[in-house]
Amino acid sequence: MSNVRGRGLQANALGTFDTVVMAVAGSAPAYSLAATTAVLVGAVGLASPAALLYCAIPMLGIALAFSYLGRIDVNAGASYSWVGRTLHPFLGFISGWALVISATIFMVAGSLPAGSMTLALFDDGLADNTGLSTAVGGLWFVVMVLVVLGGARLTVRAQLVMSGVELAILAFFVVLALFHSGNALAFDWSWLGFSHFDGVGGFASGALIAAFYYWGWDVTSNLSEETRNSRRTTGLAGLIGVGIVFLLFEAFTIAVNIILSAKQIEANDANVLAVLGDEIWPGWGGKLLIVAVMLSTIATLETTLIQVTRSLFAMGRDRTMPSALGRVHARWNTPWVAIVVVGTVALGMLIASNALGTVGDILTDAISAIGLQIAVYYGLAGLAVVVAYRRTLLTSVSNFVFGGLWPLLGALFMFWVFVESLGELSSAAITIGIGGLAVGLIPMFWYWRQGSDYYRPAKLDASRAVETDYVLDEAAGPRTPFYEGLPTDF
């Protein structure tokens, strides 16, 4: 492979529609529902729809934070750069590291269901074979590594096919569920309230799992250096993505409460969606939703690879990690060293995960551990936007609410969930979650001592950035670094 040091990623490769698709695919609606519903029901019971609702509100605040920060700093590292330039470089590195670790863990947790769902299309018995699921999931993972290696345009084309079919199937089953007559329970508005939570700790553990459902929409920010008019597009796409997946999550968790019994959910913890499909449309329903889950899982492996490799690319470029990670392939304009390294590490972890137990056991601890890491880097981004926009928050009501108050409340919610859930999680989940973050202290202090310029940042201030970075439409070319243009290119 050839490479050029200092070469950038492929500019203007993605448009607004492409980026919205990536945001939805990043949250992986079908995968999240299949793999996480049993975990969520186990934690909060009938309050699953409420956990998703009350997590969506602060999550929108974090999406607003990413939107506002993306307007003043276009960087493939996203929160890694923003937090480092507003709060402190150490916190910025931990923010980036939290994404790297959570994404790497997910690629293991996500590859297993990709394999088991593929096998389930042929034989339900094979899907419970962890070794075989690992082999098939590993094959899918390698395919996605090659697609991501081929560049942003190839990646989004593959994503349009996979996510398009997935969303069509999910929408079809939402309609079928409305007319389903065989109910285990009647709909109850209390499912959207607080009465079914087992105290404050129960609510916190449910919210932590719900955060995992939504996680992934921020891949749009990691693609900012490859997106047309990214200062507007990436933030808008993230907000639209959160809105779309929220509606799907609520529709399906309510359907699970109505149609499935607690025993059915517990007995099918690795794929509740297939059982729901069989109940709604006996015979074909389960198979179709298995296809949706399989496509969703493979699609989100792709978006997660993008997130972690773009983050590592930014770190390598800043020399806060080995500089080789910042190398870009001369032909494909992708950070090929980061992709190869992540692919190799994730495959090794996937093979090692066979010793941990069944697919369901692995997913339960991995989801909770990832939730802790998500809470850290989302929460830090929510604080960062308040600091970056502190001089402009009082200039308008929209700046105060959308650029300050809502993101701040989102950040406080994330930190509260992190602290409260520690008493509820298994020792394995806490060890993976906190231990993974602690490992990041080693490269952080090493490269700080090496004198990386990242640790002497130019402070991010929205009042100055808007003045200096704005370029009039008529004066800007398609490759102008700070091109504002129209709000979107729809």
Side-chain angles (χ1 to χ4, degrees):
M1 289 190 181
S2 58
N3 61 78
V4 178
R5 277 187 180 274
R7 185 183 179 89
L9 301 170
Q10 186 175 11
N12 301 322
L14 307 179
T16 305
F17 181 74
D18 302 328
T19 316
V20 170
V21 170
M22 296 300 282
V24 175
S27 292
Y31 166 79
S32 298
L33 287 162
T36 320
T37 298
V39 181
L40 185 60
V41 171
V44 298
L46 294 172
S48 300
L52 289 163
L53 171 62
Y54 297 119
C55 190
I57 297 169
M59 189 61 73
L60 278 171
I62 302 302
L64 285 165
F66 273 70
S67 176
Y68 272 74
L69 287 165
R71 295 178 189 181
I72 56 174
D73 182 21
V74 175
N75 192 295
S79 61
Y80 155 80
S81 173
W82 305 330
V83 173
R85 293 182 61 191
T86 53
L87 304 181
H88 194 279
F90 285 177
L91 291 176
F93 183 88
I94 290 299
S95 180
W97 184 258
L99 189 153
V100 168
I101 293 297
S102 57
T104 304
I105 294 171
F106 172 77
M107 284 185 284
V108 176
S111 295
L112 283 166
S116 62
M117 291 303 104
T118 304
L119 293 169
L121 289 173
F122 304 99
D123 185 342
D124 288 335
L126 293 176
D128 295 326
N129 186 320
T130 305
L132 199 53
S133 295
T134 301
V136 177
L139 182 61
W140 277 122
F141 180 70
V142 170
V143 171
M144 287 302 102
V145 168
L146 295 175
V147 170
V148 171
L149 195 60
R153 286 200 175 96
L154 176 61
T155 299
V156 81
R157 284 171 187 156
Q159 199 61 255
L160 286 169
V161 174
M162 293 185 290
S163 295
V165 175
E166 172 203 354
L167 292 176
I169 293 173
L170 290 179
F172 177 63
F173 274 89
V174 167
V175 175
L176 290 183
L178 293 174
F179 298 99
H180 183 73
S181 56
N183 298 340
L185 292 172
F187 173 76
D188 191 331
W189 283 105
S190 69
W191 297 344
L192 297 172
F194 289 94
S195 61
H196 292 286
F197 290 110
D198 183 18
V200 173
F203 173 73
S205 60
L208 189 74
I209 296 164
F212 175 80
Y213 270 82
Y214 292 107
W215 176 56
W217 53 266
D218 50 306
V219 65
T220 60
S221 296
N222 298 103
L223 284 166
S224 61
E225 295 184 33
E226 298 157 89
T227 304
R228 290 194 295 276
N229 193 20
S230 64
R231 290 175 180 264
R232 305 285 182 171
T233 301
T234 56
L236 176 65
L239 288 164
I240 294 172
V242 172
I244 291 172
V245 296
F246 164 72
L247 294 174
L248 286 170
F249 291 155
E250 283 296 316
F252 274 92
T253 48
I254 290 171
V256 166
N257 276 3
I258 292 173
I259 296 170
L260 299 183
S261 66
K263 286 184 178 179
Q264 285 176 301
I265 296 169
E266 186 178 350
N268 298 276
D269 56 354
N271 188 11
V272 170
L273 217 54
V275 184
L276 181 67
D278 274 329
E279 287 288 333
I280 293 174
W281 186 7
W284 280 98
K287 293 293 185 185
L288 278 175
L289 281 179
I290 285 174
V291 170
V293 175
M294 182 187 75
L295 291 173
S296 178
T297 311
I298 297 166
T300 199
L301 283 176
E302 184 188 82
T303 58
T304 308
L305 267 168
I306 287 173
Q307 280 200 284
V308 68
T309 54
R310 268 41 174 193
S311 296
L312 286 173
F313 163 76
M315 290 173 159
R317 183 173 58 186
D318 291 342
R319 289 175 172 75
T320 58
M321 289 285 279
S323 59
L325 295 171
R327 292 179 181 173
V328 174
H329 195 278
R331 179 180 176 186
W332 300 323
N333 293 100
T334 51
W336 70 270
V337 175
I339 293 169
V340 170
V341 169
V342 168
T344 303
V345 170
L347 275 176
M349 289 174 62
L350 176 62
I351 294 167
S353 70
N354 272 275
L356 298 178
T358 66
V359 174
D361 293 336
I362 294 168
L363 287 177
T364 300
D365 288 333
I367 287 166
S368 298
I370 291 170
L372 289 172
Q373 292 154 357
I374 294 167
V376 168
Y377 88 85
Y378 277 176
L380 288 172
L383 294 181
V385 73
V386 178
V387 175
Y389 279 83
R390 64 192 181 281
R391 300 179 195 276
T392 63
L393 289 180
L394 299 180
T395 58
S396 70
V397 173
S398 64
N399 269 5
F400 178 74
V401 174
F402 300 125
L405 182 61
W406 202 340
L408 177 61
L409 292 176
L412 295 176
F413 179 84
M414 291 295 164
F415 292 135
W416 174 80
V417 164
F418 179 92
V419 173
E420 282 291 328
S421 61
L422 288 177
E424 304 289 324
L425 298 179
S426 69
S427 57
I430 294 174
T431 301
I432 296 169
I434 305 298
L437 290 175
V439 170
L441 298 177
I442 299 171
M444 184 181 80
F445 285 117
W446 173 263
Y447 285 98
W448 171 61
R449 292 292 300 273
Q450 298 299 309
S452 166
D453 288 341
Y454 173 82
Y455 294 104
R456 297 184 295 275
K459 289 296 182 181
L460 194 58
D461 186 332
S463 62
R464 290 201 297 268
V466 170
E467 290 174 14
T468 58
D469 293 350
Y470 182 74
V471 179
L472 294 175
D473 287 350
E474 57 268 23
R479 294 187 178 274
T480 302
F482 299 116
Y483 178 51
E484 290 287 336
L486 296 172
T488 72
D489 64 350
F490 269 130

